[in-house]
Structures are given as structure tokens and as C-alpha cells.
Amino acid sequence: MGESSIMVDVPRYGTDEFSVGFSLNYAHRPLVLGVENEAGEFQTLRVLIEHQLLGHIDLSARFCDCTTFSLTLPIALAERGDSSRDPSVPSTSRYSLMASAAARSASEPDSLGDVGLLRSSNVGDPRLGMMVRLYGRPDESPLSVSLGGYLWVPLSRFLSRPEAGAGDQEFRARPMLVLAGHRQHIQWSLAGSFLFRPEAPQNTLPAIDGSVEGSELRVGTHVSYTDKERGFAVGPEVQLSTLLIPRDYAFKPFYTSLEALIGLHFKPSQVLQVDLSAGAGLLRRPGTPDLRLLLRVSYNPVWKGQGSNPRASQVPPSGGLQAPVPALVTAHTTAPQLSAEPCSDSPQEASPGSLRLGCPASDADQDTVLDSVDQCPETPWGQFPDPEHLGCPASDGDQDTVPDSLDACPDEPGAPALEQGRNGCPGLVEVKGDRLLIRKPIVFGLNTDTVLEESFPVLQAMTDALRASPWIKKIRIEGHTDNQGSAAANQTLSVRRARSVMRWLQTHGVEPERMEFAGYGQSRPVAGNDTEQGRAANRRVDIVIIEPPPAPSSGAHP
């Protein structure tokens, strides 16, 4: 479920995303038979499996920026080694077997008990996974907490021929807790898990250390230097595992594994990621070769072309949804004249100052105050009505949606703020008309959707303005690009960047139901693309208020 680690889980979350990947796992000497001499040194008698190549096909889907589901299908591709029957071990010696569990389950019974070489490619037990984010974001927050686990489905148990599947006969489950975080350029993860698995021997030879499997404890850590702008990461990962059940084998040699890898992870394009890792087994037990090489390639497209809301592309960029109109206000300061003359069959509006029986009352500005008593009949009273002038909005001289009575800077346009001394004062964000204007552009990594840290103050100011403006029911985050590159690639990039901004705002306190996102690629430039300045202006994120559009403000009332 991770994006920058192979052995140790680094959770990744998103909204309506999916990815598909394929990995190759080469192991050198994963299955060795030997003896332990009087000095406690391990001496290899025979390399039963010299080379092993495994493959994995994995699918994952991420929803609501908090849950990830995955499916992994292992495939044993090739094995080479010596599986002859004569072990040539003195009868007084103590046997030890260092075996790969994946190799064992993918082999056909041949020699040395149940251990043998792979005769053809076999499919292993599919693994189902789920991870839920409980706190923070692994790729943005200094600390995050995730809870999840994996479940292996034993194919051979359901197939007519047990040898047709490369796996166990019983279900296996591994719950896990993952702590992860990101600060500046350091990405880290610490994962702990417990694998529930029935106790069973790995072969039929007696008295061989390392030949029993059961439930195990696994702890791993991963640290990497991450450059989000250039799209690469590099760093080590270490994993320790030991058998806990049967208890007699816990933390003992041949039942405890310690493996260390160094990995390089990079994105050659917006939707492709490549992971390369190499390492060695420091303590060896079943599943730990002396050398391991891994390669993984994954494809990570956008689930929905226009973002989380399929209606986003249908909303005009300059317009918005009209706020619902509640029941008309009927309280007046002066009673209107009532006429007994009935209306005709066709609806008619009554003239201001009079009402006719059966006719709809006039409310030209749609602010629920009848024109007959509305002191500002052409201007809605908005979110902050003037208490002294019925139907009029409160005075807002700088037109920043903060009324002068609450505005700490009434002569300078700004944005709403939770702090009284900053409410309506100039800052990195300004509310103007149907837009949240940002004073500094939101900056992303080159050809990526990764928001750089220099833009965090702007996004935090946007978060504060939205939290202080509950009347803003919904915004649309729009991504735009210049015309460099193909139109299709720019369209995808703009969608991903808009989604990334929405994810940041949601993580920092803006309700997800108040946001949607869309990408328009290079189709809506605000400047010419023939200069660097123009292209920089076109690479932008716009924030549009779509529900409800702010009511016009006026500095004075009659």
C-alpha cells in the first residue's frame, strides 16, 4: 500500500485514485541446507535453491482520502538449484534449513521431504489489503497513524488439485499499525504487525532447525530523502521478523530474520513510478536470502477525469448555483395596500406597495424580503443583513464580504478570519465576488501534483478564510496549465493538482462536502503563452465560490 517503500508499508491515500503495478523479486540462495559446527558457525552443505525469481501483480484503489484497498497476486516464475536426494550430512551433525516460504509453497514435492524445485510458473495465494487513516497524512504531516492489515486466501484449499496452487492450506491474516510522517525532505515509516498462521512443518525431514513455521512478529522501518519537486526518493529500509508461536523458537537463530535494503524511487512521468531496491539478509530464516534485488513499476492514473464531483465539468466557470430561497419574509414596517381585484389566469406580479388577492408577491432581488417593504429592492441583503435597513446588506465599504461593523480593516479589502483583530484585513487571500483570490501562486513540483512547502502559508490562509466563512457552502478548485507539452498530459496534470489542493485543505480542517475540483489544462489561459511571464500566469489554481455566490455589497443605504 506504500508508494516509496517495498518491504515496509508507507501508506498512501487519495480521493478516487487507483494504481496497478508489477514487481520482480530476485532472491539469491533462499533455500540452503547445512550444519552448525561446534563453534556455532553455519556451514553450507548444499544450495537447494541458488536462484529464485518471483513476480507480483498488485492493484489498489483509494477513496475519500482516508481508505486504501489493495489486491496482490504473487507468481513464482523460476528457480534453479540442487534438489538431489543425498544430503551427505554426518548423522551426528545438527541439520539447519534456511528456506524461503514462497519457494517452498511454489515447489512440487521432489526430494528432501517436501522441498523441491519449481517445475513451472505457479500462482500463489492472493492477498487482500485494507488501510485506514486515523490521524494526520503520511506524505504531509510530521506524524500520522494508520491501521489496517492483509488477508491471504488459500487457493489450493479450493482447487481440486492441491499442487495446482502455490500456497498454504489455511487462511492467513496480518493486522498492522503504521506510524509515518513527512517533514521537509525526510519521509519515514514505522510498521508493526503480527502474522496469524497455523503451526506446520516445512518438510518431512526430522530435527531440522528452521523447518517449522507459525505465527510471527514483524517490525520494519523506512527512512528516505524525498525531493517532491523532482519526483524521486532514496533511502534505506530494515525489517525484523521472528517466530512467536511456537514460543520455543522466538528470537532464536534460523527462526529470526533481519533484512536491510537501500532503495531508489523516481517518477519518470506524472502517472508512472519506478522503484529499485537491493539488499542483504543479515539474520537468516525461511524467507530471507543472502541477496535480494527488487524492481517495481506502477501506473497511477486519475480515476475520474474531472475530479471528485462528476458535475464539476458542467458548472460554468463564471457562474454558480443560486442559493435556495426560503419562505418569503412577510413582516413589514408599513402595511401594504391590499386589493380585492383577483388575478387573471396568468401569473402577475403586484406593483410595489400593493398586493392583489391570488397574485404572487414581488421580490425582485430574491432575498426573501418583499419589494413592498424592501429598502434595497434590487440588492439582496446577503449573509450580513443591515439591522437598521430591512432587506439591505450591511455596509461593506471595501467589498471583502466582511461588514464594516466586524471589519478590523474596513478601508482595505481582505478576507474573513477567525481572529477578531485580523478579520477583513489584507493577507494572502482576499474574497472578491465569486472568487477567493490568492496573493501568491500555489507552487508544485516540476510536472507533478506535489504541493511544495513554500505554498503552505497560502493554503493555510485559504483554510482560515473558509473556516471563518460558513456561508460559503461550496467551492470549486480549478487547475490550469500553460501550453507546454501535450494537451492530454496538461489536462491530467491540472486535474491532479486541483485534487492535491483539495486534499491539503481537507487535511487541515475544511469539510470535504464543501469542495469539488476540476482541471481545464491549457484551455483557459489568462495571458499569452509566448513569454515565460505569461506561461507562469497560466500555471495557476483558481478558487471559485459556487454555492451561494456572494451577494453584492454596498457602502451606504438610503
Side-chain angles (χ1 to χ4, degrees), residues 142-155:
L143 174 65
S144 70
V145 181
S146 298
L147 186 66
Y150 296 105
L151 175 68
W152 284 262
V153 180
L155 286 183

Side-chain angles (χ1 to χ4, degrees), residues 70-131:
S70 66
L71 170 64
T72 302
L73 189 65
I75 305 173
L77 299 175
E79 288 176 353
R80 296 292 183 271
D82 180 8
S83 62
S84 60
R85 288 185 174 276
D86 181 16
S88 300
V89 181
S91 59
T92 58
S93 299
R94 182 183 179 188
Y95 289 86
S96 294
L97 180 69
M98 294 182 179
S100 165
R104 174 193 53 74
S105 62
S107 303
E108 297 175 0
D110 186 8
S111 63
L112 291 174
D114 291 334
V115 176
L117 292 178
L118 178 69
R119 302 307 183 192
S120 61
S121 296
N122 279 332
V123 176
D125 294 339
R127 185 185 73 178
L128 306 175
M130 178 179 178
M131 192 75 71

Side-chain angles (χ1 to χ4, degrees), residues 50-82:
E50 179 82 16
H51 306 285
Q52 180 189 68
L53 183 63
L54 305 176
H56 290 84
I57 300 173
D58 58 87
L59 304 170
S60 67
R62 296 173 283 276
F63 303 96
C64 73
D65 201 30
C66 63
T67 305
T68 299
F69 297 95
S70 66
L71 170 64
T72 302
L73 189 65
I75 305 173
L77 299 175
E79 288 176 353
R80 296 292 183 271
D82 180 8

Side-chain angles (χ1 to χ4, degrees), residues 109-387:
D110 186 8
S111 63
L112 291 174
D114 291 334
V115 176
L117 292 178
L118 178 69
R119 302 307 183 192
S120 61
S121 296
N122 279 332
V123 176
D125 294 339
R127 185 185 73 178
L128 306 175
M130 178 179 178
M131 192 75 71
V132 177
R133 179 168 63 88
L134 303 180
Y135 172 79
R137 285 199 54 81
D139 56 348
E140 294 178 2
S141 307
L143 174 65
S144 70
V145 181
S146 298
L147 186 66
Y150 296 105
L151 175 68
W152 284 262
V153 180
L155 286 183
S156 56
R157 182 174 182 176
F158 302 102
L159 299 176
S160 57
R161 292 170 48 211
E163 67 272 18
D168 285 6
Q169 295 292 314
E170 302 294 338
F171 285 91
R172 289 167 286 160
R174 182 157 69 95
M176 70 173 63
L177 176 68
V178 182
L179 307 179
H182 180 274
R183 185 169 180 82
Q184 295 182 346
H185 288 288
I186 302 300
Q187 175 89 46
W188 65 274
S189 175
L190 177 63
S193 64
F194 187 81
L195 175 63
F196 292 94
R197 178 173 56 188
E199 179 182 348
Q202 294 197 38
N203 55 74
T204 58
L205 285 180
I208 297 184
D209 284 337
S211 62
V212 176
E213 67 177 21
S215 297
E216 67 179 50
L217 174 69
R218 181 175 298 180
V219 179
T221 184
H222 157 81
V223 180
S224 68
Y225 174 85
T226 304
D227 189 328
K228 293 185 177 181
E229 182 175 1
R230 294 176 175 82
F232 81 90
V234 60
E237 52 185 303
V238 179
Q239 184 163 264
L240 172 70
S241 64
T242 186
L243 225 60
L244 286 187
I245 303 175
R247 290 182 296 176
D248 293 341
Y249 302 117
F251 296 100
K252 290 187 176 181
F254 310 116
Y255 295 96
T256 299
S257 166
L258 179 62
E259 192 168 357
L261 298 178
I262 183 75
L264 172 65
H265 320 274
F266 60 94
K267 290 185 175 181
S269 73
Q270 179 63 23
V271 296
L272 288 179
Q273 176 164 322
V274 178
D275 305 299
L276 297 170
S277 293
L282 307 180
L283 298 176
R284 301 188 60 196
R285 56 155 289 191
T288 310
D290 60 2
L291 172 67
R292 188 187 298 276
L293 301 174
L294 300 111
L295 167 66
R296 181 176 185 270
V297 178
S298 61
Y299 175 63
N300 308 274
V302 177
W303 185 293
K304 297 179 180 178
Q306 287 296 330
S308 63
N309 190 332
R311 298 179 299 149
S313 62
Q314 303 172 6
V315 180
S318 60
L321 302 178
Q322 292 293 329
V325 180
L328 291 176
V329 173
T330 56
H332 339 289
T333 54
T334 304
Q337 179 182 355
L338 181 63
S339 171
E341 181 182 354
C343 277
S344 62
D345 292 339
S346 60
Q348 299 182 23
E349 291 186 354
S351 59
S354 66
L355 294 176
R356 287 190 295 167
L357 202 60
C359 297
S362 175
D363 180 22
D365 57 9
Q366 302 271 314
D367 64 356
T368 75
V369 181
L370 303 182
D371 289 346
S372 58
V373 294
D374 196 334
Q375 297 184 41
C376 300
E378 297 180 357
T379 304
W381 62 359
Q383 301 300 318
F384 300 98
D386 188 333

